[in-house]
Amino acid sequence: MTFSPATLIAKKRDGGEHHPTEIHALIEGFQDGSLADYQMTAWLMAVYLNGLSDGEMTALTKAMLHSGRVLNPRRRNGAPRIDKHSTGGVGDKISLPLAAIAAACGLHVPMISGRGLGHTGGTLDKLESIPGYDTQLSIQAFERTVAKCGASIIGQTTDIAPADKRIYALRDVTGTVACRPLIVASILSKKLAAALDGLVLDVKVGRGAFMKDRASASALAKSLVQVSTKLGTPAVARLTRMEEPLGRTIGNALEVRESIEILRGEGPMDTTELTLTLASEMLLLAKVCHSRSHAMRVARAALTSGAALERFAQMVELHGGNARVVERTALLPKTRFQVPVHAPQKGFVQHVDALALALLALELGAGRKRAEDKVDHAVGLEIFVQVGDRIEKGDLVAKIHTRKHDPHHSRAVLQAIGVGAQRVERPPLLVGRAIR
Amino acid sequence: MTFSPATLIAKKRDGGEHHPTEIHALIEGFQDGSLADYQMTAWLMAVYLNGLSDGEMTALTKAMLHSGRVLNPRRRNGAPRIDKHSTGGVGDKISLPLAAIAAACGLHVPMISGRGLGHTGGTLDKLESIPGYDTQLSIQAFERTVAKCGASIIGQTTDIAPADKRIYALRDVTGTVACRPLIVASILSKKLAAALDGLVLDVKVGRGAFMKDRASASALAKSLVQVSTKLGTPAVARLTRMEEPLGRTIGNALEVRESIEILRGEGPMDTTELTLTLASEMLLLAKVCHSRSHAMRVARAALTSGAALERFAQMVELHGGNARVVERTALLPKTRFQVPVHAPQKGFVQHVDALALALLALELGAGRKRAEDKVDHAVGLEIFVQVGDRIEKGDLVAKIHTRKHDPHHSRAVLQAIGVGAQRVERPPLLVGRAIR
């Protein structure tokens, strides 16, 4: 490489700003071995503590994007390619109904997605609970699926942003994960590899999310939009609350079931509305619609007409999955026990702790503590109450889908659901306006 | 290890203070492989940017010291074991005459020394210019030599502070060398392994030194004294100027020659006085003398009586070297060319740039650019002028000992020696009082 690694590290250590060429050399050196892992981690810590400018963030994203394959889709049929990314929440299954709705509205949704780790679920794990669904399509098959039904959701192939994969593994063990510029580069280097015309970002904020407060979520959203746009992909971000779980299920098969319910028009109201809002942002970005109200109408029509459900069934089928699940969700894996949890007292639901419930679902086997763990698709939680609900003693508040009956789990559920005498109002899911 | 590496790194990243147990776990984990190189470098960068408290510095030094062998000398004959360490300067050959003087005064000087790297010379390279001198004695032979003649100077064995060796190699390539707490731990973990009763520190300050300004040199000196003392080895530090080269030679054999001249009482005045001052600090630390003036008299007597020169000859002989060099310095390696450099104009010497001359000596082959380079013992520079000297046009100002005649070198020497019309006074070598 043209720069000495130690010199580049020292520059960031001293709070200097890298020229794009230096960032490029850094990633290139990391890939060809002239910059070692132990040099990358020193640089990452310097970045964590001294930050990256907008220009540096853009250069880093670009360098990481070009560390691997960037798709070059042929059969676009004039359709705009628009994707959505969520920064990860509890019970967040929105990608599934959203991709189907957007496809039904004429968009192409080439979604390259991740697996769950820690307390947040992964879209791939959810889809794999559908018998036969293959998340490991080749890029050719992926593009064919997008061209045919408008949407495909697959896992990250090894040739997409390989530098990000290695850097993320190092960040994970060196305390450098929670760093905005590095998060931005990591998310966008993978997403932009799909050759998008637009990207909608759902940035979660709250106890159940990575960003705990609005200021940091807002800063992340702005950086994501700015860098994506600078690299030629217009983007828009929405901040959404992640204090309670999103929707009424946590767990892979359960969330697929809820996704199908949303597509049937039987989903929880606020989750359905958030899905439609994000779909309308996709339509606006694609310039398929030019007003928010028109976009909402178009998205809602895709749902009520059944067109979106049909697209979902098509996508499942093209991925080798059993498309009959859309009619019979009972085909999804189930646990032997479904333990009901009843309210021990009456009152108003004060809070529903997304993080606590996510950790319980993880405990049940719905997620991974370590990357090499296997997930149990059938286990999880159904939560029947939301903040503000008035409940009576004995009401069914939750159901635990589990392999083993354990009274400890019921107690954990009740502890996560705060009930009090005070009447409370549930704040809306969407926080603030769209960030462009 | 009992702590997760990522948790320890995150603590320092966030400006937290480590408990000594955590520092211990960090070094232990680094040694047993449960903390990887790429985690150590992330921690080192966090330390560089967030610092270490006195307690952390002490714990780190202790952990690194105990990562390897700590000597357990048997044949002490009641003699105090006192060593000296210099932070590295240009033309700094003081260890050689100093060890001999201290030994002649009844001290034991078990000196484990380093090689030169970059622009500063190494004591071992100097000694190896004496035909036959073996710097790689076993610890047994080293202790035998100390017991017999009072002093021995050897290279670091692989079993002394091995954690420091690995950490230093990582610091060197990750921009984390210039960090006071890490410098302190690195110096002391090696020095204290020799089981000392006292340590004198010569902290260089100025253009030719690692510490460029008095504030940072003073801070380093204080930390070194504090940590050494806390770990049971009383220490004292002197700050000495390093703007001009120390003495009148730069280069290995040339510096051995000058060391012998000092021991013969024929050395440059200020270098001789600095050697005696450091010797008197050693005598005070050892409580062999109780007043500065007495200690200076004792040290000077060792010189004028010839006892110190005799000790030096003994030490050389016990290391397998040709002890006749003390009578005939012509036995030292010489170059074919000794190129005189004459003053192109008259005036007063304004400055003599130690760093520029050191880089020229490095260019001639006297030092190492990389650790694997070989040094040429014969090459180097003699500088006959000091700041404040009045010179006439045509005066001999320097001699270049070189294998190849190159007019470029003479120009470089003249550029390093600033001559002007203004009369200037040479500031004393010692800066401020002793730091205890």
Side-chain angles (χ1 to χ4, degrees), chain B residues 140-168:
Chain B
Q140 288 72 20
F142 171 65
E143 289 290 9
R144 217 160 37 229
T145 306
V146 171
K148 273 191 192 161
C149 78
S152 178
I153 307 179
I154 60 165
Q156 203 188 330
T157 62
T158 52
D159 54 357
I160 286 177
D164 172 68
K165 205 183 172 84
R166 280 182 59 210
I167 289 173
Y168 190 84

Side-chain angles (χ1 to χ4, degrees), chain A residues 13 38-39 41 48 173 175, chain B residues 13 38-39 41 48 173-175:
Chain A
R13 175 197 76 194
Y38 51 76
Q39 293 175 312
T41 55
Y48 187 102
V173 293
Chain B
R13 175 198 75 195
Y38 51 77
Q39 293 176 311
T41 54
Y48 186 102
V173 292
T174 56

Side-chain angles (χ1 to χ4, degrees), chain A residues 135-355:
Chain A
T135 57
Q136 302 301 312
L137 298 188
S138 69
I139 292 296
Q140 287 72 20
F142 170 67
E143 289 289 11
R144 218 160 34 229
T145 307
V146 171
K148 272 190 189 160
C149 77
S152 178
I153 307 180
I154 59 165
Q156 203 187 331
T157 61
T158 52
D159 54 358
I160 285 177
D164 172 68
K165 204 184 175 88
R166 281 182 58 209
I167 289 174
Y168 190 84
L170 291 174
R171 284 168 60 204
D172 193 37
V173 293
T174 56
T176 47
V177 167
C179 171
R180 181 165 49 86
L182 299 179
I183 293 170
V184 169
S186 178
I187 290 175
L188 292 181
S189 64
K190 286 175 293 197
K191 280 287 159 184
L192 300 188
L196 305 175
D197 298 313
L199 176 61
V200 173
L201 295 146
D202 178 5
V203 177
K204 301 290 183 193
V205 55
R207 229 179 105 65
F210 206 67
M211 297 288 153
K212 308 293 179 196
D213 63 279
R214 186 165 165 180
S216 56
S218 180
L220 175 60
K222 278 178 192 152
S223 293
L224 283 166
V225 169
Q226 197 172 44
V227 171
S228 180
T229 306
K230 268 193 192 168
L231 292 176
T233 303
V236 61
R238 297 303 304 244
L239 259 53
T240 64
R241 285 179 62 251
M242 179 40 65
E243 304 287 347
E244 306 172 57
L246 191 59
R248 57 190 173 216
T249 57
I250 305 171
N252 300 293
L254 290 170
E255 293 192 45
V256 169
R257 198 188 76 190
E258 189 178 353
S259 298
I260 292 168
E261 286 163 2
I262 293 169
L263 288 168
R264 279 182 188 157
E266 301 157 5
M269 233 265 282
D270 49 5
T271 312
T272 302
E273 287 307 305
L274 178 56
T275 309
L276 291 173
T277 303
L278 294 174
S280 71
E281 294 289 1
M282 291 172 81
L283 291 168
L284 287 168
L285 257 187
K287 300 198 187 333
V288 166
C289 299
H290 298 277
S291 81
R292 196 165 291 276
S293 55
H294 181 224
M296 276 301 267
R297 271 200 308 279
V298 169
R300 199 180 300 276
L303 204 62
T304 50
S305 67
L309 185 66
E310 199 179 311
R311 290 296 173 126
F312 186 74
Q314 267 185 7
M315 181 181 81
V316 169
E317 191 156 10
L318 288 166
H319 276 263
N322 185 347
R324 286 176 56 224
V325 291
V326 306
E327 287 132 40
R328 272 192 70 203
T329 52
L331 290 169
L332 292 165
K334 274 188 298 289
T335 57
R336 183 158 163 213
F337 299 109
Q338 280 139 49
V339 185
V341 182
H342 299 281
Q345 69 197 89
K346 72 168 190 177
F348 295 94
V349 176
Q350 307 288 316
H351 66 260
V352 180
D353 185 338
L355 184 59

